[in-house]
Amino acid sequence: MLAPMEDVTDRSFRLMCREQGASMVYTEFVSADALIRDIPATVRKLAIDPGERPTAIQIYGRDVDPMVEAARIVEQAGPDIIDINFGCPVKKVAGKGAGAGMLRDIPRMLAITRAVVDAVKLPVTVKTRLGWDHNSKIIVELAEQLQDCGIAALTVHGRTRSQMYTGEADWEMIARVKENPRLRIPLIGNGDITTPEAAAAAFDRYGVDGVMVGRASIGAPWIFHDISRALAGLPDEPLPDSEKFGLLRRQIRESVDRIDEYRGILHIRRHLAASPLFKGIPHFRETRIRMLRATTLDELMSILSEVESLLSNQSL
């Protein structure tokens, strides 16, 4: 599954990941308060392409009534699942008590979950973390409590909020959640799934029902091609570099078409900066700087063509 990531999992990227083999995709997370206020940028996040389904729209907030109202609005947008974000660790979300901030107020978390489940007919799922910090890894008990609220599935990121994205994800802790005989709902594991081997190990060693890929997909939607082949027992056949460059060009064009040239290029820079396609190219620093400073579509496409030609010549 493609994890929900702000400024990353827009409609174009979700569709691309589905085409590459992702079984399911999640939208960028949607602020309940902004949705209720009908903020245009937030409302646009609800748009779903038929080809990307199944799709979950993820919402976050810190109060019961706005979350219920937002869930009802989201239901009208027609996703396959409504997901509640109790895992985002960033300060502007968790610091205000939403996202992973809810791990410090479990009664409120459960009240929101129960109310959202009761308010909509769609399946409701939750994504959260092990706990707030090392001394409060409460996920085994919390998983049961969330299940009792009526959620259809649970995703656990194997870090605490205090870890943010540092250190290694604790998959042994995720396995403890799965091994609980009282847990009946599907469990999706998240954290450090960066290779087909890591995805296979998540299923084989830790027994999860699904795996969620986040940061490793940024600038590399083809990771789902590699993982899906590995899980199906097929030979390792990476996409040719020419197809990978084609996917990046498509992302750039669709980002520009969706927003405008200047802001579309700004949006796509995160994917270009993270893409493993450029790793290992000698003396690439100057070219990378040019690529990330490009402000026009023609300029950016020209630089990509230079890089592709360079890689092609290296492989000869």
Side-chain angles (χ1 to χ4, degrees), residues 2-18:
L2 171 65
M5 292 177 283
E6 183 66 6
D7 292 328
V8 174
T9 55
D10 56 61
R11 181 168 49 173
S12 169
F13 186 64
R14 298 194 304 266
L15 180 59
M16 211 171 294
C17 291
R18 279 287 285 134

Side-chain angles (χ1 to χ4, degrees), residues 222 225-226 229 235-241 243-244:
W222 51 84
H225 166 274
D226 299 341
R229 287 187 65 85
D236 180 21
E237 291 183 4
L239 285 186
D241 283 350
E243 290 190 38
K244 293 178 180 178

Side-chain angles (χ1 to χ4, degrees), residues 239-290:
L239 285 186
D241 283 350
S242 59
E243 290 190 38
K244 293 178 180 178
F245 273 97
L247 288 169
L248 290 184
R249 288 191 180 94
R250 176 179 159 192
Q251 272 192 268
I252 294 167
R253 282 192 294 269
E254 292 181 358
S255 180
V256 167
D257 289 346
R258 182 173 57 89
I259 313 174
D260 58 46
E261 185 172 42
Y262 178 72
R263 291 182 301 159
I265 289 172
L266 285 180
H267 169 75
I268 212 66
R269 282 177 179 172
R270 184 170 182 181
H271 291 266
L272 295 175
S275 181
L277 190 54
F278 310 122
K279 289 182 179 175
I281 300 177
H283 314 297
F284 188 66
R285 183 174 181 272
E286 183 179 329
T287 305
R288 180 186 296 276
I289 291 171
R290 285 173 52 219

Side-chain angles (χ1 to χ4, degrees), residues 180-225:
N180 180 356
R182 291 183 294 275
L183 191 76
R184 302 177 303 277
I185 58 175
L187 179 67
I188 301 155
N190 176 221
D192 299 343
I193 303 295
T194 58
T195 64
E197 294 75 20
F203 287 107
D204 298 341
R205 192 179 309 161
Y206 303 109
V208 293
D209 301 290
V211 295
M212 186 173 281
V213 181
R215 288 173 293 163
S217 69
I218 304 175
W222 51 84
I223 191 173
F224 294 103
H225 166 274

Side-chain angles (χ1 to χ4, degrees), residues 49-314:
D49 188 293
E52 72 178 73
R53 293 183 182 276
T55 306
I57 293 180
Q58 190 187 70
I59 59 174
Y60 73 93
R62 64 179 303 276
D63 294 307
V64 173
D65 290 345
M67 285 290 282
V68 165
E69 188 175 348
R72 287 176 172 148
I73 295 170
V74 166
E75 187 171 40
Q76 295 304 307
D80 300 280
I81 285 172
I82 296 174
D83 189 66
I84 305 177
N85 179 333
F86 292 141
C88 178
V90 300
K91 187 174 181 180
K92 69 177 183 179
V93 175
K96 295 178 181 178
M102 281 290 167
L103 289 163
R104 294 195 292 185
D105 192 346
I106 301 305
R108 184 185 291 234
M109 176 193 287
L110 299 177
I112 287 174
T113 305
R114 196 175 299 111
V116 169
V117 169
D118 290 344
V120 297
K121 294 182 173 62
L122 287 174
V124 174
T125 59
V126 162
K127 185 172 189 286
T128 190
R129 290 183 168 232
L130 304 179
W132 178 258
D133 56 27
H134 180 74
N135 297 317
S136 58
K137 293 184 178 180
I138 57 172
I139 190 59
V140 176
E141 178 185 356
L142 178 59
E144 276 192 64
Q145 294 174 303
L146 290 166
Q147 175 179 261
D148 291 344
C149 292
I151 64 170
L154 174 66
T155 300
V156 176
H157 182 116
R159 291 179 173 86
T160 63
R161 188 275 171 177
S162 296
Q163 283 181 272
M164 300 292 285
Y165 296 103
T166 62
E168 294 184 359
D170 186 350
W171 278 84
E172 296 292 343
M173 195 77 184
I174 294 175
R176 284 181 56 193
V177 178
K178 181 60 184 175
E179 290 163 1
N180 180 356
R182 291 183 294 275
L183 191 76
R184 302 177 303 277
I185 58 175
L187 179 67
I188 301 155
N190 176 221
D192 299 343
I193 303 295
T194 58
T195 64
E197 294 75 20
F203 287 107
D204 298 341
R205 192 179 309 161
Y206 303 109
V208 293
D209 301 290
V211 295
M212 186 173 281
V213 181
R215 288 173 293 163
S217 69
I218 304 175
W222 51 84
I223 191 173
F224 294 103
H225 166 274
D226 299 341
I227 289 176
S228 60
R229 287 187 65 85
L231 296 180
L234 298 173
D236 180 21
E237 291 183 4
L239 285 186
D241 283 350
S242 59
E243 290 190 38
K244 293 178 180 178
F245 273 97
L247 288 169
L248 290 184
R249 288 191 180 94
R250 176 179 159 192
Q251 272 192 268
I252 294 167
R253 282 192 294 269
E254 292 181 358
S255 180
V256 167
D257 289 346
R258 182 173 57 89
I259 313 174
D260 58 46
E261 185 172 42
Y262 178 72
R263 291 182 301 159
I265 289 172
L266 285 180
H267 169 75
I268 212 66
R269 282 177 179 172
R270 184 170 182 181
H271 291 266
L272 295 175
S275 181
L277 190 54
F278 310 122
K279 289 182 179 175
I281 300 177
H283 314 297
F284 188 66
R285 183 174 181 272
E286 183 179 329
T287 305
R288 180 186 296 276
I289 291 171
R290 285 173 52 219
M291 184 169 62
L292 298 180
R293 286 179 175 172
T295 56
T296 68
L297 185 60
D298 288 345
E299 181 185 7
L300 189 51
M301 291 298 191
S302 176
I303 295 170
L304 274 184
S305 294
E306 285 179 35
V307 178
E308 184 175 11
S309 177
L310 177 64
L311 278 178
S312 179
N313 291 334
Q314 282 184 349

